[in-house]
Each structure stands twice: as structure tokens, then as C-alpha cells.
Amino acid sequence: SDTLVAPPAGLQHGRHLLFYSSTAHMLRLAAWALRRPERAAAIAREGAAYVAARLTPAAVVDGLIAETVTFTK
């Protein structure tokens, strides 16, 4: 299955990226983005800024450590 189970905290559909629930839904969103290139580019910029600000290497390592600690408890 290609379904997104739990979106990462803080990411918003239509602001940072486009979430989809099936292949057909993904294709509809791709067609929407092709019809609205300026809006699609704005979403891409917001998503890139979100990643640059929050997913630094140190933040990724901290998240992995936190998940490992939670998993082993």
C-alpha cells in the first residue's frame, strides 16, 4: 500500500506538500499541480523551508535517539 498512515507533525497538506491516499488521488493532485504551477512552486518552497529549518542532521539524530529510547522501554 502507498497510503500515508500518519503525517509527520507540523506538515500541512497544501502548505508544505500534498498528501495523497491512493495512486488515483496522487494522479489527481499531480494534474492539479500541473494546472497551477505557481501554487505548486509555492508549496514546494514552503516544504523546502520547513525541511531546512527542522530536519537538520542534529534534529534527525535526536529524533532517532528519542525513538530508540521509546522503543526499548
Side-chain angles (χ1 to χ4, degrees):
S1 165
D2 199 18
T3 302
L4 182 62
V5 176
L11 291 176
Q12 298 173 11
H13 173 77
R15 178 176 178 193
H16 303 108
L17 70 163
L18 299 173
F19 295 119
Y20 59 89
S21 58
S22 67
T23 301
H25 186 204
M26 178 194 62
L27 292 172
R28 286 193 304 275
L29 288 172
W32 174 88
L34 289 170
R35 290 191 308 272
R36 295 168 181 82
E38 296 85 12
R39 182 67 189 121
I43 292 169
R45 284 191 300 274
E46 285 281 331
Y50 181 94
V51 168
R54 291 170 183 83
L55 296 180
T56 62
V60 171
V61 169
D62 288 345
L64 289 171
I65 291 169
E67 286 181 26
T68 302
V69 170
T70 301
F71 179 73
T72 59
K73 286 185 179 181

